[in-house]
Amino acid sequence: MTSSPTFKQAILNKHMLICIFTGFSSGLPLFFLYQLVPGWLRSEGISLAEIGLFSLIGIPYVWKFVWSPAMDRFQFPFLGRRRGWMLVTQLFLLLAIGLLGYLNPVKSISAIAYIAAAIAFFSASQDIVLDAYRRELLKEHELGLGNSIHVQAYRLAGLVPGSLGFILADHLPWHMVFVIVALFMLIGILMTLCIKEMDSAANAPKTLEQAVVLPFKDFINREGIKSALYILSFLFLYKLGDSMATALQTPFFIDMGFSKTEIGVVAKSASLIAMTIGLAVGGVVMIKLSINRALWLFGVVQIVSILGFAALAEIGHNTIALALAMGFEYLGVGLGTAAFTAFIARATNPAFAATQFALFTALTALPRTFANAATGYIVEITGWTSFFFICTALAVPGMLMLFKVAPWDQQSDSKPAQS
């Protein structure tokens, strides 16, 4: 058996560099929809209840496994099986994000919802192909670190709409802000044009029927019905609490009296520091410990970080408290997501990467889409502090599922636990 690579050997290679770009390109449109758009709508006088319902535009993230077989089966006549889909989705996102800011939220809320839903569709489609490419790219021993880097870059992308966007909004009209944010999609387009296509065409399904049936059959056969159901339940529950807690993050800050510049500078600068720490800590843990133990350790931090928002709700307008709450939240949620994504990659067969990865990540998007749609109503009934306590309680069942799918003392990271 070969020895495990050192942290320096594992991180200083082309695969990890590509993971930075895939993470940034994947995260930018999602954070645009879930941070900048709600802040824009709230600043224009749209109610919390309506903004909460905007979470339903994320339905494509939930149902992306429906059209992922087509992306496994078919390809464009340029750039190859994966890169062609990357380029098409990224070009659409560049155009749609840039155009959205020209609409008036008060007069054109329906049109905004339709365009935002289209952005979510192409963002989810981009995720399908980026996840598949990354799964084909990374070797087994690189899954933990590679996915940790991908997630931290994914979170880093949130600083563009969530920090730069709000700072610019205090000085520029909203449509100019949206155009500037959209231009950052050029980073993903540049990556797509520079990377090499993976040698995966030989493993591509020969028919659409194969593309639909074989990935699900493979997962059930590998895990067994009972273990497969445990895994699917875990995928839904593990991120439920923190997903709901961050659904109305920007409107929460605005309600606490923070200006758009304070949100951009204080909250997001703290987030950047936390992400830097998280990348180092996550990378070391992923190499030195197993994915299972990372899920346990980071899951606890993830739960506790939600309580930081409850504290901020009680403290009110205080920039130090804002920085601490946001920094801890980014550290906890970022680490938890890194371990979680590595777990998903481990459960995926590279031969069916697009469809299986889409199915698994779609389950993780369910809370963000449907449960989050009710968050505005919950806040209006309970208030912010009680809301964050509810989110903390909802994070516990996902941790309990670790006993079934990723026990602490499991020796191998080769696959999830059988029960």
Side-chain angles (χ1 to χ4, degrees), residues 37-176:
V37 170
W40 171 48
L41 296 177
R42 188 59 171 166
S43 68
E44 297 295 312
I46 305 301
S47 71
L48 281 176
E50 287 181 287
I51 295 173
L53 288 174
F54 247 76
S55 295
L56 293 175
I57 64 173
I59 287 176
Y61 292 104
V62 176
W63 290 100
K64 62 184 179 180
F65 66 90
V66 173
W67 64 91
S68 61
M71 299 180 75
D72 249 344
R73 170 65 183 90
F74 301 108
Q75 66 182 58
F76 291 98
F78 51 84
L79 295 184
R81 184 180 176 214
R82 303 301 187 196
R83 295 166 65 227
W85 283 107
M86 288 183 200
L87 183 62
V88 169
T89 55
Q90 289 163 349
L91 287 173
F92 180 89
L93 290 168
L94 171 67
L95 294 173
I97 292 172
L99 291 174
L100 188 62
Y102 285 91
L103 297 177
N104 186 315
V106 176
K107 297 179 180 179
S108 307
I109 191 68
S110 296
I112 289 172
Y114 288 130
I115 295 177
I119 292 172
F121 173 80
F122 280 90
S123 174
S125 299
Q126 182 195 216
D127 287 350
I128 291 171
V129 67
L130 288 179
D131 288 339
Y133 183 87
R134 196 173 67 257
R135 183 62 182 94
E136 294 167 352
L137 175 73
L138 297 176
K139 301 175 183 177
E140 290 298 316
H141 71 268
E142 295 177 323
L143 287 177
L145 180 60
N147 282 285
S148 176
I149 290 173
H150 169 85
V151 168
Q152 297 303 336
Y154 176 95
R155 304 281 288 177
L156 177 65
L159 294 178
V160 176
S163 178
L164 178 63
F166 284 106
I167 294 172
L168 293 175
D170 268 342
H171 307 283
L172 297 173
W174 277 107
H175 69 274
M176 289 300 300

Side-chain angles (χ1 to χ4, degrees), residues 159 162-167 170 249 253 257-275 309 312 316-330:
L159 294 178
S163 178
L164 178 63
F166 284 106
I167 294 172
D170 268 342
Q249 186 181 89
F253 294 153
F258 294 103
S259 69
K260 291 188 286 291
T261 298
E262 284 178 316
I263 295 172
V265 175
V266 179
K268 306 308 177 179
S269 296
S271 303
L272 180 59
I273 295 172
M275 281 190 295
F309 288 124
L312 180 61
H317 186 277
N318 183 294
T319 53
I320 295 177
L322 174 64
L324 291 174
M326 277 302 299
F328 194 47
E329 184 269 336
Y330 258 75

Side-chain angles (χ1 to χ4, degrees), residues 234-246 302 306 364 366-368 371-372 391 393-395 397-398:
F234 168 72
L235 294 177
F236 174 80
L237 292 170
Y238 189 69
K239 301 292 291 181
L240 175 61
D242 74 76
S243 178
M244 289 184 65
T246 56
Q302 183 176 267
I306 300 174
T364 72
L366 273 171
R368 188 174 65 222
N372 290 7
C391 294
L394 290 173

Side-chain angles (χ1 to χ4, degrees), residues 19 22 58 70 82 97-98 210 218 251 282 307 310 353 375-376:
C19 287
T22 64
R82 303 301 187 196
I97 292 172
Q210 287 183 356
D218 168 79
L307 296 174
T375 53

